[in-house]
Amino acid sequence: MKMASLLTTFCIFILSTFGMTSCFEWETLPKNVVYSCVGRKVEFPWGFKADGAGLIRDIRWLFNGVFDSMMVATEAYGYFFPTTPYSQRVRQLTNGGLELSDVTLADAGNYTVEVNVEVEGSLVSHRHSALLQVGDGLMTQGGTLTASQDPVALWDSSDHQWTIRLTCGLFNFLGQPPVQVIWTTPTMATTASSGYDNGHFYLTLSSPVKGGNYTCHIPHHLLSDVCVTESNHGNHRVTSSVLVGEVEARLSLLEAEQRTLNAKLSNLSSENMELGGGLQVIQTLTDESTDNLTLYISEQLETVRKELRREVQDLRGIAQKQQGQQRLLGEQLETVRKELRTKVQDLWGVTADLLDGPCASVNHTVLSDASRAVTHGTGLLCDKSLTLGWYRFVLNGSPAVIPTQCVELRHCGTGRPYWLDLQGKELPAAGQETDARACGTGHHSNCCELQKPISVRNCGAFFVYKLTPFSKCNRAYCAQEMDS
């Protein structure tokens, strides 16, 4: 955790013949809120300097939690004494700093350091506190990310325009999380969040809005900052998508702009009525004045009326332009609908081709766990829960196959990896199927110590395999991308 570079100085002047001074300075302080994860270490980098005639009596560290309060440790005469509950878990860093290891959820609470200084027989205490927040798993509500779209358009005061806002959360950090959420747009471009508010990172979309899937995710190198590790996360927990309808979003922005224009017209109409009443009062007063004053006021009134008429005409022109934009948008929407109908018809054609393809009769299941890759080390992956049937492998969104060469022990996210032994045969051609065996790597470099029957079919763009479950763990089928 980063330190806040603060410098606080407290001086006491000792009234003596020598005019001595005792000064106490905080040199380094932790942030007001410190974050940590279960099982890790956390540091409170308190550091101070005491000069002059003052004598440091002792240093105390205290904990105040939800259910209990207690002394953590003391330091006196150069000796550090942790209390029994913390005897194996705390150590002193700088003169006032403290490190707590093997953090648990019960450690969450307020930590205080108290430095007691004796000056001319009086005891002066210097205290500073920091709040520790502890996380276990992804620090969001429900332990997953949730992306959503605000139901109505919002006004962006910085850009002075209406926007569509997408949110990603809900984080349960007491302040802004020490991470950043990245968004992927429908064009596969990546962009940072526009800001953070009330537990959500948000992205604002201004006109014209591009429809499609918007995905938010936490970058891989920042997962540990939200208490997610390689062994306990999956893409479904740190990634979430929301579908933005282009037509609905643009209509929402247009309606918001129309409401703004109507409000301006209404305000101007009210001002015009108030001015008209004032003009009547002025006209009454001019009847009691001289002819010259009457003429002068009449000319001023006519000038004001002309200016008002010009403003009303300008606003009517804006309203007509807005109506023209609505008609243009309607025409564009109809064009989009026609294009969508054409694309749907094309997709129906592609679907028909797929249904008539070489794997039309094979009902298969997709296996997409990234830990199946041959480049992945050991893990707890187990295919004991599979049922007898056809399966297709996908890695990183691309078609994958079972490797046809021996895989070393403790790879593919499991203890004993299984690979495809064609026994001298070639992979089947498109639309063809062949039988082979799946070999499980054993000890002493035995590549086929364990065996299982397997069938493979070539579906043209990908392969499917007829797999049988294992009776024990940890055993699993390996995968590698087709181009490798």
Side-chain angles (χ1 to χ4, degrees):
M1 303 296 176
K2 295 182 178 179
M3 297 183 298
S5 299
L6 300 176
L7 178 61
T8 305
T9 304
F10 178 84
C11 295
I12 298 177
F13 295 91
I14 303 174
L15 300 179
S16 66
T17 57
F18 299 100
M20 301 176 65
T21 304
S22 175
C23 290
F24 180 93
E25 297 180 357
W26 287 112
E27 293 186 305
T28 55
L29 296 175
K31 291 184 176 180
N32 293 333
V33 180
V34 180
Y35 301 113
S36 185
C37 303
V38 170
R40 298 185 187 173
K41 295 180 181 179
V42 61
E43 295 182 356
F44 298 92
W46 287 296
F48 64 87
K49 180 173 64 175
D51 297 327
L55 173 66
I56 297 178
R57 175 74 65 81
D58 58 48
I59 306 173
R60 304 178 184 182
W61 293 270
L62 308 112
F63 168 71
N64 185 16
V66 177
F67 301 107
D68 54 7
S69 300
M70 65 182 68
M71 179 83 70
V72 177
T74 59
E75 192 268 357
Y77 304 106
Y79 293 96
F80 180 72
F81 303 99
T83 59
T84 301
Y86 294 92
S87 60
Q88 303 298 323
R89 299 177 55 215
V90 296
R91 70 183 184 92
Q92 188 176 10
L93 296 177
T94 57
N95 49 12
L98 187 71
E99 178 186 85
L100 175 65
S101 60
D102 297 327
V103 173
T104 68
L105 291 175
D107 292 326
N110 201 61
Y111 288 80
T112 301
V113 61
E114 178 183 286
V115 183
N116 296 308
V117 182
E118 183 177 346
V119 180
E120 283 292 297
S122 299
L123 193 64
V124 180
S125 296
H126 304 275
R127 300 166 63 92
H128 189 270
S129 300
L131 179 64
L132 173 63
Q133 183 179 10
V134 181
D136 185 13
L138 183 60
M139 295 180 69
T140 59
Q141 186 177 29
T144 60
L145 285 183
T146 301
S148 61
Q149 177 183 340
D150 284 351
V152 296
L154 297 178
W155 177 254
D156 189 340
S157 58
S158 61
D159 292 335
H160 302 286
Q161 62 179 339
W162 290 95
T163 61
I164 299 296
R165 193 173 80 160
L166 310 180
T167 62
C168 184
L170 171 67
F171 288 90
N172 53 24
F173 286 88
L174 297 177
Q176 181 166 340
V179 295
Q180 180 62 268
V181 166
I182 302 299
W183 294 81
T184 303
T185 68
T187 60
M188 303 310 294
T190 58
T191 182
S193 298
S194 303
Y196 181 82
D197 178 46
N198 197 25
H200 293 86
F201 284 96
Y202 62 86
L203 178 69
T204 55
L205 308 176
S206 56
S207 183
V209 174
K210 177 67 175 178
N213 275 315
Y214 288 79
T215 302
C216 67
H217 71 278
I218 301 174
H220 187 270
H221 67 281
L222 297 179
L223 291 179
S224 62
D225 293 329
V226 288
C227 302
V228 176
T229 63
E230 286 288 342
S231 61
N232 70 3
H233 90 275
N235 290 337
H236 64 285
R237 299 185 65 223
V238 295
T239 302
S240 183
S241 299
V242 58
L243 179 62
V244 176
E246 183 172 316
V247 174
E248 293 81 359
R250 293 190 178 186
L251 283 176
S252 179
L253 293 175
L254 189 60
E255 290 172 354
E257 293 174 358
Q258 185 67 46
R259 288 195 300 270
T260 301
L261 180 60
N262 291 339
K264 289 181 178 180
L265 286 172
S266 177
N267 291 336
L268 183 58
S269 177
S270 299
E271 293 174 0
N272 193 11
M273 292 178 61
E274 293 174 0
L275 184 57
L279 294 177
Q280 291 178 358
V281 173
I282 294 174
Q283 186 66 50
T284 301
L285 293 175
T286 57
D287 292 341
E288 301 174 0
S289 305
T290 63
D291 294 339
N292 291 335
L293 181 60
T294 301
L295 179 61
Y296 173 77
I297 294 177
S298 298
E299 292 174 349
Q300 296 298 316
L301 291 176
E302 183 60 27
T303 301
V304 171
R305 291 191 181 97
K306 290 181 180 179
E307 292 178 353
L308 287 175
R309 283 196 292 269
R310 282 198 299 269
E311 289 188 14
V312 171
Q313 290 175 354
D314 291 342
L315 287 174
R316 287 175 178 171
I318 293 174
Q320 292 175 355
K321 182 179 179 181
Q322 193 74 28
Q323 292 174 355
Q325 291 178 345
Q326 286 181 329
R327 288 194 297 271
L328 179 60
L329 181 57
E331 295 173 356
Q332 293 176 346
L333 292 179
E334 182 59 29
T335 302
V336 171
R337 292 190 183 98
K338 291 180 180 179
E339 293 176 353
L340 287 176
R341 284 195 291 269
T342 301
K343 290 181 179 179
V344 168
Q345 291 173 356
D346 294 341
L347 286 174
W348 274 114
V350 173
T351 303
D353 292 340
L354 289 175
L355 293 175
D356 295 334
C359 291
S361 61
V362 177
N363 184 18
H364 63 271
T365 302
V366 175
L367 300 177
S368 59
D369 196 317
S371 64
R372 291 184 183 275
V374 294
T375 56
H376 199 283
T378 187
L380 301 179
L381 187 62
C382 180
D383 286 338
K384 184 178 179 179
S385 60
L386 296 182
T387 58
L388 177 63
W390 289 94
Y391 293 85
R392 172 188 174 188
F393 294 88
V394 173
L395 290 177
N396 302 317
S398 301
V401 296
I402 298 179
T404 56
Q405 295 180 351
C406 180
V407 180
E408 294 182 4
L409 195 67
R410 299 185 184 91
H411 277 70
C412 303
T414 188
R416 293 206 174 193
Y418 275 69
W419 56 281
L420 178 63
D421 183 11
L422 293 170
Q423 297 177 293
K425 296 183 291 185
E426 298 289 337
L427 285 169
Q432 300 299 315
E433 179 182 330
T434 186
D435 294 326
R437 67 178 181 179
C439 285
T441 305
H443 298 283
H444 309 296
S445 301
N446 188 347
C447 289
C448 204
E449 183 178 65
L450 304 171
Q451 301 177 13
K452 268 189 172 297
I454 189 172
S455 298
V456 56
R457 175 176 291 192
N458 189 336
C459 296
F462 56 89
F463 288 85
V464 293
Y465 301 85
K466 191 172 186 180
L467 307 179
T468 56
F470 296 104
S471 59
K472 298 180 180 180
C473 289
N474 294 335
R475 302 177 182 182
Y477 295 97
C478 286
Q480 66 180 26
E481 294 186 16
M482 289 183 64
D483 57 1
S484 63

